[in-house]
Amino acid sequence: MSHSTVPRTTEAETGEAPAAPGDTTGTTPRKKPTGKPSLRLRFRRDRVLLLMTMPAVLLVLLFNYVPILGNIVAFEDYDPYISDNGIVAMLHSPWVGLDNFQRIFEDTAFWHAVQNTLVLFFLQLVLYFPIPILLALLINSVVRPRIRAVSQAILYLPHFFSWVLVIAVFQQLFGGAGLLSQLMRQHGMDGLSVMTDPDTFKFLVTAQTVWKDSGWGIIVFLAALASVSPDLYEAAAMDGAGRWRRMWHVTLPALRPVVALLLVLRVGDALTVGFEQILLQRDAVGPGAAEVLDTFVWWTGVRNQDFGYAAAAGLVKGVVGLCLVLAANKVAHLMGEQGVYQK
């Protein structure tokens, strides 16, 4: 006969009568909460996290959202010399309505800057965007951890160089007195100055971007590849899939959501192709080849003191960029990907 180690509670100790069969009044089951908790309850539950994020939220509001109020300059003939206080000068500048936007759409220099910007964007999208993916696949295939770590460090290093240093390196290699021109002259050929050729400037800018940022761009793709289960590769190998088959059916589908997200973000930056990089080389090739929207806004707003006109051009750029993000995100949804936000 077995004896239970759990003490039994008698009826007299509890003071409760046992419930009869079919009688539900003897016990009162606890009701499970239904629906979402109230806002007050959620605030009390997450108050520590909210306090931790408050400084970051204040910084974002101060430096990202409060300056949006300055877009009113795009509708004014803004004169910063009315007052030492910029807000007072903004409030007392003459109101011109949509005249600045009308000037933009009638300005051939603006549309030329848009054309150069879009050409650079498509070149960088075709020639630069796939390179971090290929580098991530190449590094992920390296078996020895030491070789992989050294390769990543070498590829990451140019990202931390300033654009002044990057352009100086390219000048020493491809300038009129650079290494390439000297080698050509030693073999009886004419020197070649890629840095001052307007016809090859767009390819030069793309090559500089690839050398500087492609190594840094592989971080996200390597993180996505690290999350792929090795069991998938083993199962594919057991089914007879070779290296290329495993890459096509296992690796690339794992990268597809990340590629879609980064592509949407890249399309949103279509009108931003590198202000500092191009401004440093603008005088060498001339504004006809190097003028993009960012340098156009800087040149008209800062150098020519036409702040209202430059603000209108920047506002048009921002609105177009927002529309491009929404359109690209819609395409990502149609392809079955999440994109920047869910439906």
Side-chain angles (χ1 to χ4, degrees):
M1 181 176 63
S2 62
H3 298 279
S4 174
T5 59
V6 180
R8 296 182 178 180
T9 304
T10 61
E11 178 181 340
E13 293 174 349
T14 58
E16 297 179 359
D23 186 10
T24 60
T25 60
T27 58
T28 57
R30 183 178 298 176
K31 295 182 180 181
K32 295 182 179 180
T34 58
K36 294 182 178 180
S38 63
L39 181 62
R40 182 179 179 182
L41 181 61
R42 283 184 291 172
F43 180 80
R44 292 182 58 187
R45 180 190 63 190
D46 301 330
R47 61 183 181 274
V48 177
L49 297 177
L50 293 174
L51 290 175
M52 290 175 60
T53 57
M54 190 62 65
V57 172
L58 292 177
L59 288 176
V60 171
L61 290 175
L62 182 61
F63 292 101
N64 291 85
Y65 286 93
V66 173
I68 293 178
L69 300 176
N71 285 327
I72 193 175
V73 175
F75 304 91
E76 297 177 343
D77 184 11
Y78 180 68
D79 186 1
Y81 304 106
I82 293 178
S83 173
D84 294 335
N85 191 329
I87 298 178
V88 175
M90 183 173 59
L91 294 177
H92 290 82
S93 295
W95 184 267
V96 296
L98 299 177
D99 290 349
N100 289 326
F101 296 93
Q102 183 177 357
R103 288 175 55 196
I104 285 175
F105 293 113
E106 295 175 355
D107 191 353
T108 56
F110 172 79
W111 292 110
H112 184 72
V114 171
Q115 180 183 354
N116 289 338
T117 304
L118 293 178
V119 170
L120 276 175
F121 164 69
F122 284 115
L123 280 177
Q124 294 183 7
L125 185 66
V126 174
L127 300 178
Y128 166 73
F129 190 79
I131 291 180
I133 303 175
L134 298 177
L135 290 176
L137 294 175
L138 180 62
I139 292 179
N140 190 66
S141 63
V142 177
V143 178
R144 296 185 179 181
R146 185 180 297 274
I147 298 178
R148 181 185 301 180
V150 172
S151 302
Q152 291 181 25
I154 294 174
L155 291 173
Y156 293 166
L157 185 61
H159 174 76
F160 300 99
F161 296 161
S162 66
W163 277 115
V164 176
L165 180 58
V166 171
I167 295 172
V169 171
F170 272 76
Q171 180 68 35
Q172 295 298 320
L173 292 175
F174 305 107
L179 180 61
L180 179 61
S181 295
Q182 293 180 10
L183 290 176
M184 294 177 66
R185 292 190 183 98
Q186 290 176 3
H187 291 82
M189 294 181 289
D190 294 332
L192 181 64
S193 180
V194 180
M195 302 297 294
T196 57
D197 188 359
D199 297 331
T200 60
F201 176 75
K202 297 177 178 60
F203 297 98
L204 173 67
V205 171
T206 304
Q208 292 170 352
T209 305
V210 169
W211 184 71
K212 186 177 187 297
D213 290 331
S214 59
W216 186 257
I218 68 177
I219 294 178
V220 178
F221 298 108
L222 287 177
L225 291 174
S227 64
V228 181
S229 175
D231 297 338
L232 297 176
Y233 291 104
E234 295 177 0
M238 292 180 63
D239 290 339
R243 179 185 297 270
W244 294 106
R245 287 282 186 177
R246 292 196 297 269
M247 180 182 296
W248 184 261
H249 294 287
V250 179
T251 306
L252 292 181
L255 291 178
R256 182 175 173 179
V258 179
V259 171
L261 174 61
L262 294 181
L263 189 60
V264 171
L265 296 177
R266 186 69 190 92
V267 170
D269 288 336
L271 302 182
T272 303
V273 289
F275 168 73
E276 183 181 0
Q277 175 192 10
I278 296 177
L279 184 63
L280 290 171
Q281 305 174 86
R282 183 178 183 272
D283 294 336
V285 296
E291 192 77 288
V292 294
L293 277 177
D294 288 336
T295 57
F296 176 81
V297 170
W298 177 84
W299 196 266
T300 57
V302 178
R303 294 297 297 270
N304 296 337
Q305 302 290 305
D306 197 349
F307 297 101
Y309 183 68
L315 185 59
V316 170
K317 172 191 168 185
V319 172
V320 173
L322 176 62
C323 295
L324 289 176
V325 169
L326 296 177
N329 199 72
K330 182 65 175 179
V331 174
H333 289 167
L334 294 176
M335 296 175 60
E337 301 297 335
Q338 177 178 345
V340 179
Y341 56 87
Q342 296 181 352
K343 295 181 180 180

